[in-house]
Amino acid sequence: MDSVDRLRAEWHRQVPDLDVEPIAVAGRITRVAALLAARAEHALAAEGLNRGEFDVLCALRRADGPLRPGEVSTITAASGAAITKRADALVEAGLVQRGIPHGDRRGVLLTLTDAGRSAVDRLMPQHLAREAQALTTLSEPERDTLAALLSRVLTQIEDPTS
C-alpha cells in the first residue's frame, strides 16, 4: 500500500460516496513529481541553485542561441517575473549573461556563459541518473508503456482540443 492508497482509503472512510478513482493515477503522478522535484532541489541546493534556475539554464543550453526572457518563460512555463528573478540570480552567479539584441535596444537576450554551460553539462547527467533510479523497478517495456500513456494524458491537458 502506498501513500495514495492510504489517501483513497481515508476519503472512502470519510465520504463513502465520493468517487476518488482519479486520485489513483493523478495523485500518483503528483506525488511522484513532488518527490522527484524535492530530490532535485536538494541536489541543486548543494550547487547553489534551485530547480527554477536549473530549468532556465537547461532551456538556454538546449537553445540554438540566445533567448529573450519571454521565450524562456514560455519554454519553462514560469511567469515573466519568475524568469527575471532567476535570471538576476544566474547573472550574479556568473552562469548567464544579458545582452541587447542587435538593432533592438528595447529587448534583452539571455545567454549561457562558459561557466553556465559547464554547470549544465555537469549537472544534467546527475539529474537524469536520479530520474532513472526512480524507474528501476520498471522493465524497459513497462517504461515505454508508461511514457506513452502519460504522453496521451499530457497532450490532453496541454491541448484539450486535440
Side-chain angles (χ1 to χ4, degrees):
M1 178 177 275
D2 64 20
S3 60
V4 173
D5 287 331
R6 287 188 293 278
L7 181 143
R8 292 174 66 209
E10 290 166 0
W11 274 114
H12 183 70
R13 261 194 328 276
Q14 297 299 321
V15 188
D17 295 337
L18 184 64
D19 178 12
V20 295
E21 184 60 29
I23 296 173
V25 174
R28 285 186 175 93
I29 291 170
T30 302
R31 182 77 173 136
V32 166
L35 291 170
L36 287 173
R39 288 179 183 176
E41 285 286 355
H42 178 75
L44 291 168
E47 301 287 336
L49 296 169
N50 63 42
R51 179 61 193 260
E53 293 163 351
F54 185 62
D55 286 348
V56 171
L57 292 174
C58 289
L60 292 170
R61 179 65 175 96
R62 292 189 314 268
D64 291 329
L67 296 174
R68 295 178 185 276
E71 293 171 312
V72 176
S73 178
T74 299
I75 292 167
T76 62
S79 70
I83 297 303
T84 298
K85 181 179 177 182
R86 293 168 187 172
D88 288 346
L90 293 168
V91 167
E92 186 173 322
L95 301 174
V96 168
Q97 63 185 16
R98 284 190 174 96
I100 298 173
H102 181 67
D104 182 3
R105 297 192 52 81
R106 296 169 297 151
V108 172
L109 291 175
L110 301 176
T111 308
L112 282 179
T113 63
D114 289 342
R117 178 181 287 267
S118 176
V120 174
D121 289 351
R122 181 175 46 80
L123 296 172
M124 190 60 181
Q126 297 170 17
H127 176 73
L128 293 171
R130 281 189 301 278
E131 291 183 347
Q133 190 282 327
L135 301 172
T136 57
T137 60
L138 301 177
S139 68
E140 185 174 347
E142 288 172 327
R143 289 190 305 270
D144 291 345
T145 298
L146 180 59
L149 292 170
L150 289 173
S151 178
R152 286 174 47 194
V153 173
L154 183 58
T155 299
Q156 171 61 27
I157 293 170
E158 288 180 334
D159 183 11
T161 63
S162 63

